[in-house]
Amino acid sequence: MKLKFTLLFAFIFSTALLKAQDSLMLRKIYDEELVNGKCYANLHYLCKNIGPRLSGSPNAQKAIEWGKKLMESYGFDRVFLQPVMVPHWVRGDKENGVIIIGNNHIPVAIAALGMSVATPANGITADVIEVHSLKELDTLGVAAIKGKIVFFNRPFDPRFIETLRAYGTAGDQRFAGPEAAAKYGAIGVIVRSLTESIDNYPHTGATSYDKAGINIPAAAISTIAANQLSELLKQKNTAPVQFYLKMSCKLLPDTLSYNVVGELTGTENPNKFITVGGHLDSWDLAEGAHDDGTGIMQSVEAVRLLKVLGYQPKNSIRAVFFINEENGDKGGEKYAELAAKNKEEHIAAIESDLGGFTPRGFGFSGASPAFVQNINLKWKKLLEPYGADRLTAGGGGSDIEPLKAKAPGVVLIGYLPDSQRYFDVHHSANDVFENVNKRELELGAAAIASLMYLIDQHGLN
Amino acid sequence: MKLKFTLLFAFIFSTALLKAQDSLMLRKIYDEELVNGKCYANLHYLCKNIGPRLSGSPNAQKAIEWGKKLMESYGFDRVFLQPVMVPHWVRGDKENGVIIIGNNHIPVAIAALGMSVATPANGITADVIEVHSLKELDTLGVAAIKGKIVFFNRPFDPRFIETLRAYGTAGDQRFAGPEAAAKYGAIGVIVRSLTESIDNYPHTGATSYDKAGINIPAAAISTIAANQLSELLKQKNTAPVQFYLKMSCKLLPDTLSYNVVGELTGTENPNKFITVGGHLDSWDLAEGAHDDGTGIMQSVEAVRLLKVLGYQPKNSIRAVFFINEENGDKGGEKYAELAAKNKEEHIAAIESDLGGFTPRGFGFSGASPAFVQNINLKWKKLLEPYGADRLTAGGGGSDIEPLKAKAPGVVLIGYLPDSQRYFDVHHSANDVFENVNKRELELGAAAIASLMYLIDQHGLN
């Protein structure tokens, strides 16, 4: 009885000590970041001195070289590139979109969807048919759609508390809409921008073509213009409502590009990895500040924080700047492929690709209720003072997703900032440095560094 | 035994039913707000059609009249004004602030602190002495300070996770600095703007004079200019670093103004009240969007939501637009005085005066650990899906504070949005409608309506 009691006491005591040690380390991480953080200045450089960096572009290559140098300047143990071939799509001239009703010509804000084909050089003009879902195309059929421009106009459902879910349920219009409309003989597609914001920015993003089918040109239209077009379609007009679409985008041959990887090598398990990453490429309409400049700057910052605090990780800690998340996912696939080839054991992979907004917590992809309960028991209290304590099932991200198949046992984790403002800027000309708050960005970097430290110390089981 | 079991079962069953009913009601509140919310459009009107509304100004009176009509248009059971005399301070001409080193004149961004006296008509010029605390004045003494302009330059401590705490610990410089410096013979004061943001906006705010002492002119200086001035003071200069200050602000006689109150009268306890409020007055430098347009628009919206959903409150539910929070607190004091006079029993008073940012939860002023635990047990799960579930001790607000003495038993509650961006805009020309996010504002209104509903249904014990 006495021994048992003593053991129990020792256990409680050592647990309390560990907790106190963890608590102190998290406080150190946050203090260092909030006082001496570098990620906001780094993001400024990325946005203002490099700028848009679509896969295959000269700017993407500049960002790769700069990112590598940045990691080297922090004295990481290893910094290297992972070569990978990526698609190289270019927008060409600024697009031209005009609503036409008889002699009334109304220019509107549009932007080609990523990977779209061009229109003929003189553009196309056709009657517009508004639909709200892919299913509606089936109901309407060829007779109603053939020769027309299909206008997908289903807005975000505002009732979702997390805007990501609204994006998830509206996103098929952009991703699969053009392909589906082409099957019914549409000659072009315009898609309501995927945002809850009523603004005049077209929000681009990739569309996906059926390789066997006919590829038709597709553009995003601003929500203001979409509302206007929809209103005009409802009115009695003297002439049919038509749309003029002119785009000169094209897909060039694949280009050699790179993931950038920086590592603190583990002192006990150098071949076990805890990674954090975001994507280096961005759409071409703006600076890719929130998507995903903040993600890569937080990733390198999280590793820098652990290094500068003198932390010697048991396992290897990596920051990864993935290339080509926006229109191909080739970087994420390559990283996973090399992890398998090099027999790297991945304990956890964290992705920051939901903007640099105020932290709420982390989502654990495919986590069981028991796993979530356990993680909350272990770490919720530690993260609570920093507001990053929502530890839930779900999460992950498209750059780390391929690891699931290639690195068995890996836990995929999505960093979850507040989601309310993300789609105000997402994929639009509004995604600029000025819309990032320094402290929100820094708190995210510190939250990620904290989670990496906890995983390194205690594992995920 | 059987009876006990049956009773227990009935209790559990009815508790579960209640929870389901509460959960459904909260979902209805959020759906109504996110689909048909009015507070963003109302805030637009307040900011763009009325604008700045310092106590005693014609704009404040416009806002009072408009606010009353707005509440009446929603069909509240009672809408009324509470007359109250308020201070009437005016800024006068745009201030003039210049760093002078010999022939080098550097104009910088300043704004008089609220309630400050003017400089003489031609301004004042004096050597500058930089200090970082009120204590430092005691150390320096009259010999070092007399005849000079004291420059308070202690920045926000970035290590606080909640920016409100940084504001709390830096705020004495603005609030009490001028009074303290005057006692050592200073002839003027400039105070580093109370913000963590490095920008060129002076952030104003009230200062408080010792009525028996000498009142000296005091101005806020932008953080960029404060850093510049501090650098110049550190350099070896050919001439002393002086500051030229010219302000023509003045305090006019007190003016008659009003609180605006709208009420849904309780069906069971008409004389028991659950109130929510913010302040109608704002500083004069901008539109008072976050401070506190969002607070009053959320308050009226919370009551509107309950009404439009057909909810019949047991207790009376009130929205209050308090006047004169910024430079006198006369509205809050009057409301409490009348509550006592009219023998109104206040169950709870909620204040929304920390900006219209994404909701985190509510703070319960002076709450015991047992109270906090109980509230969390009762309601945390219900609020969790909406991210407004941080139910903590602390909170309250200066408009509801006087109720503590005048309405015994009242629970004072502060609505707690995320605090990271508040001081970027607070009391500056940057506090405009464009910096408010529609969904963040709406989610706050729904969170407040939800809490009012829960308190009305279940009380706070």
Side-chain angles (χ1 to χ4, degrees):
Chain A
M1 191 69 178
K2 192 158 181 277
L3 180 64
K4 262 193 192 166
F5 183 78
T6 309
L7 281 175
L8 180 69
F9 183 77
F11 173 76
I12 292 172
F13 189 68
S14 67
T15 306
L17 262 188
L18 269 181
K19 287 246 158 150
Q21 189 183 309
D22 290 340
S23 169
L24 279 175
M25 180 63 179
L26 264 56
R27 190 64 252 183
K28 274 190 203 168
I29 288 171
Y30 274 88
D31 282 356
E32 174 62 25
E33 179 58 28
L34 293 169
V35 176
N36 300 313
K38 309 288 181 217
C39 56
Y40 189 66
N42 286 339
L43 182 68
H44 185 267
Y45 188 94
L46 179 70
C47 289
K48 301 302 181 190
N49 294 49
I50 298 176
R53 46 197 179 277
L54 193 55
S55 289
S57 68
N59 267 7
Q61 184 57 27
K62 268 192 214 169
I64 287 162
E65 288 163 17
W66 172 75
K68 181 165 179 279
K69 275 189 194 144
L70 184 73
M71 292 186 191
E72 285 165 351
S73 77
Y74 292 149
F76 293 171
D77 297 321
R78 288 178 72 203
V79 179
F80 56 96
L81 302 181
Q82 294 179 326
V84 54
M85 295 303 289
V86 296
H88 186 190
W89 179 85
V90 292
R91 183 171 300 279
D93 300 331
K94 187 161 165 43
E95 303 83 346
N96 205 342
V98 184
I99 301 171
I100 300 172
I101 309 176
N103 289 326
N104 191 8
H105 287 219
I106 309 165
V108 290
I110 64 160
L113 294 186
M115 308 305 273
S116 175
V117 295
T119 60
N122 290 329
I124 55 172
T125 303
D127 287 4
V128 176
I129 181 163
E130 177 175 341
V131 300
H132 295 86
S133 69
L134 273 64
K135 255 193 192 164
E136 204 178 331
L137 296 174
D138 302 333
T139 313
L140 289 165
V142 173
I145 295 169
K146 194 175 164 69
K148 291 194 180 146
I149 290 177
V150 169
F151 167 37
F152 287 98
N153 193 32
R154 185 165 87 259
F156 267 30
D157 185 338
R159 293 170 298 178
F160 288 114
I161 303 303
E162 300 303 332
T163 59
L164 298 166
R165 294 190 61 195
Y167 180 66
T169 58
D172 61 343
Q173 299 175 99
R174 188 195 82 206
F175 195 71
E179 172 190 331
K183 288 185 180 152
Y184 288 104
I187 64 162
V189 162
I190 44 183
V191 182
R192 181 188 183 88
S193 286
L194 294 175
T195 175
E196 69 290 304
S197 174
I198 303 300
D199 63 36
N200 216 12
Y201 296 104
H203 296 237
T204 189
T207 193
S208 170
Y209 289 127
D210 180 351
K211 277 171 194 158
I214 296 164
N215 299 345
I216 58 173
I221 183 168
S222 77
T223 49
I224 284 178
N227 287 350
Q228 184 181 17
L229 177 54
S230 186
E231 279 306 309
L232 290 170
L233 285 163
K234 280 184 203 118
Q235 288 173 11
K236 281 193 182 162
N237 298 294
T238 50
V241 176
Q242 297 193 304
F243 201 88
Y244 170 71
L245 185 64
K246 188 180 167 199
M247 321 196 306
S248 61
C249 42
K250 59 183 163 187
L251 192 60
L252 304 174
D254 284 3
T255 303
L256 177 63
S257 192
Y258 306 90
N259 294 328
V260 187
V261 186
E263 178 183 307
L264 302 184
T265 305
T267 52
E268 291 179 18
N269 313 305
N271 203 42
K272 292 188 181 180
F273 295 88
I274 301 164
T275 74
V276 59
H279 60 87
L280 177 137
D281 61 309
S282 80
W283 283 109
D284 55 331
L285 297 175
E287 298 163 3
H290 278 290
D291 188 15
D292 184 24
T294 54
I296 59 175
M297 295 300 98
Q298 286 177 329
S299 296
V300 68
E301 185 77 344
V303 178
R304 185 190 73 80
L305 281 170
L306 295 176
K307 170 147 181 83
V308 84
L309 290 171
Y311 180 66
Q312 307 264 329
K314 297 179 189 177
N315 308 286
S316 291
I317 301 274
R318 272 188 186 164
V320 186
F321 293 2
F322 294 98
I323 191 72
N324 187 226
E325 192 270 351
E326 292 294 6
N327 59 338
D329 290 318
K330 297 301 177 197
E333 287 166 14
K334 177 58 72 176
Y335 184 86
E337 180 194 317
L338 291 173
K341 190 180 158 198
N342 298 328
K343 298 191 172 35
E344 296 169 350
E345 184 182 335
H346 276 70
I347 298 170
I350 305 170
E351 183 160 330
S352 172
D353 186 17
L354 299 173
F357 304 98
T358 209
R360 303 299 296 236
F362 295 92
F364 296 80
S365 175
S368 67
F371 180 97
V372 172
Q373 192 180 21
N374 183 41
I375 283 285
N376 274 281
L377 274 173
K378 283 165 69 167
W379 296 336
K380 188 178 176 68
K381 281 274 171 232
L382 284 166
L383 292 166
E384 214 170 43
Y386 308 102
D389 58 318
R390 292 172 81 85
L391 308 174
T392 60
S398 44
D399 279 318
I400 57 176
E401 187 65 25
L403 277 172
K404 196 190 279 178
K406 301 280 186 177
V410 67
V411 177
L412 304 183
I413 305 170
Y415 166 60
L416 300 180
D418 194 85
S419 78
Q420 298 311 319
R421 288 177 285 145
Y422 189 44
F423 294 98
D424 292 357
V425 301
H426 185 252
H427 294 186
S428 83
N430 204 17
D431 189 9
V432 293
F433 177 76
E434 289 73 10
N435 287 325
V436 178
N437 176 276
K438 181 172 184 280
R439 286 180 57 86
E440 293 188 348
L441 178 71
E442 289 174 348
L443 288 169
I448 292 167
S450 297
L451 184 66
M452 293 181 95
Y453 159 80
L454 291 171
I455 295 173
D456 186 56
Q457 281 289 306
H458 308 295
L460 274 162
N461 300 311
Chain B
M1 190 67 179
K2 194 163 180 270
L3 180 64
K4 264 194 192 166
F5 182 78
T6 308
L7 281 175
L8 179 69
F9 184 77
F11 174 75
I12 292 172
F13 190 68
S14 68
T15 306
L17 261 187
L18 269 181
K19 287 244 159 151
Q21 191 183 308
D22 290 341
S23 169
L24 279 175
M25 181 62 179
L26 264 55
R27 190 64 253 184
K28 274 188 204 169
I29 288 171
Y30 275 86
D31 283 356
E32 175 62 26
E33 180 58 28
L34 293 169
V35 176
N36 300 313
K38 310 288 181 217
C39 57
Y40 189 67
N42 286 338
L43 182 68
H44 185 268
Y45 188 95
L46 179 72
C47 290
K48 300 302 180 189
N49 294 51
I50 298 175
R53 47 195 179 278
L54 193 55
S55 289
S57 68
N59 266 7
Q61 184 57 28
K62 267 192 214 168
I64 287 162
E65 288 163 18
W66 172 74
K68 181 164 178 280
K69 276 189 194 144
L70 184 73
M71 291 186 190
E72 286 165 348
S73 77
Y74 292 150
F76 293 171
D77 297 323
R78 290 177 70 204
V79 179
F80 56 97
L81 302 181
Q82 294 179 327
V84 54
M85 296 302 289
V86 297
H88 186 189
W89 179 85
V90 292
R91 184 170 301 279
D93 300 331
K94 188 163 164 41
E95 303 83 346
N96 205 343
V98 183
I99 302 172
I100 300 171
I101 309 176
N103 290 325
N104 191 7
H105 288 221
I106 308 165
V108 291
I110 64 159
L113 294 186
M115 308 305 272
S116 175
V117 295
T119 61
N122 292 328
I124 55 173
T125 303
D127 287 5
V128 176
I129 180 161
E130 176 175 341
V131 299
H132 295 86
S133 68
L134 273 64
K135 256 193 191 164
E136 204 178 331
L137 297 175
D138 302 334
T139 314
L140 289 166
V142 172
I145 295 169
K146 195 175 162 71
K148 292 194 180 143
I149 290 178
V150 169
F151 167 36
F152 287 98
N153 192 33
R154 184 165 89 260
F156 268 29
D157 184 338
R159 293 170 299 177
F160 288 114
I161 302 303
E162 300 302 333
T163 59
L164 298 166
R165 294 190 61 194
Y167 180 66
T169 57
D172 62 341
Q173 299 174 99
R174 188 196 81 206
F175 195 72
E179 172 189 332
K183 287 185 182 154
Y184 288 104
I187 64 162
V189 162
I190 44 182
V191 183
R192 182 187 182 89
S193 285
L194 295 175
T195 175
E196 70 288 305
S197 174
I198 303 301
D199 63 37
N200 215 13
Y201 296 105
H203 296 237
T204 189
T207 193
S208 170
Y209 290 126
D210 181 352
K211 276 170 196 162
I214 296 165
N215 299 344
I216 58 173
I221 184 169
S222 78
T223 49
I224 284 178
N227 288 349
Q228 184 182 16
L229 177 55
S230 185
E231 280 306 309
L232 290 169
L233 284 164
K234 280 184 203 119
Q235 290 173 12
K236 282 193 180 164
N237 299 294
T238 50
V241 176
Q242 297 192 303
F243 201 88
Y244 170 71
L245 186 62
K246 187 180 167 202
M247 323 196 303
S248 60
C249 40
K250 61 182 161 185
L251 192 59
L252 303 174
D254 284 3
T255 303
L256 177 63
S257 193
Y258 306 90
N259 294 327
V260 188
V261 186
E263 178 184 307
L264 303 184
T265 305
T267 52
E268 292 179 20
N269 313 308
N271 203 42
K272 293 188 180 179
F273 296 87
I274 301 163
T275 74
V276 59
H279 61 88
L280 178 137
D281 62 306
S282 81
W283 284 108
D284 55 330
L285 297 175
E287 298 163 3
H290 277 291
D291 188 15
D292 185 22
T294 55
I296 58 174
M297 295 299 98
Q298 286 177 329
S299 296
V300 67
E301 185 77 344
V303 178
R304 187 191 71 80
L305 282 170
L306 295 176
K307 170 146 181 85
V308 83
L309 290 170
Y311 181 66
Q312 308 264 327
K314 296 179 191 176
N315 308 287
S316 290
I317 302 275
R318 271 187 187 165
V320 185
F321 293 1
F322 295 98
I323 190 73
N324 187 226
E325 192 270 350
E326 292 294 6
N327 59 338
D329 290 318
K330 297 301 177 197
E333 287 165 14
K334 179 56 76 175
Y335 184 86
E337 181 193 316
L338 291 173
K341 189 180 159 200
N342 299 326
K343 300 190 172 33
E344 296 169 348
E345 184 182 334
H346 277 70
I347 299 170
I350 306 169
E351 183 160 329
S352 172
D353 186 19
L354 298 174
F357 303 98
T358 210
R360 303 299 296 234
F362 295 92
F364 296 80
S365 175
S368 67
F371 180 96
V372 171
Q373 191 180 23
N374 183 41
I375 283 286
N376 275 279
L377 273 173
K378 282 165 68 167
W379 296 336
K380 188 178 176 68
K381 281 275 172 229
L382 284 166
L383 292 164
E384 213 170 45
Y386 308 102
D389 57 316
R390 292 172 81 85
L391 307 175
T392 60
S398 44
D399 279 318
I400 57 175
E401 187 65 24
L403 277 172
K404 197 191 277 178
K406 301 282 186 174
V410 67
V411 177
L412 304 182
I413 306 170
Y415 166 60
L416 300 180
D418 195 85
S419 77
Q420 298 311 321
R421 288 177 285 144
Y422 190 45
F423 293 98
D424 291 357
V425 301
H426 185 251
H427 293 186
S428 83
N430 204 16
D431 189 10
V432 293
F433 178 76
E434 288 73 10
N435 287 326
V436 178
N437 176 275
K438 181 171 184 280
R439 286 180 56 87
E440 293 188 346
L441 178 71
E442 290 174 347
L443 289 169
I448 292 167
S450 297
L451 184 66
M452 294 182 95
Y453 160 82
L454 291 171
I455 295 172
D456 186 56
Q457 281 288 306
H458 308 296
L460 274 162
N461 301 311

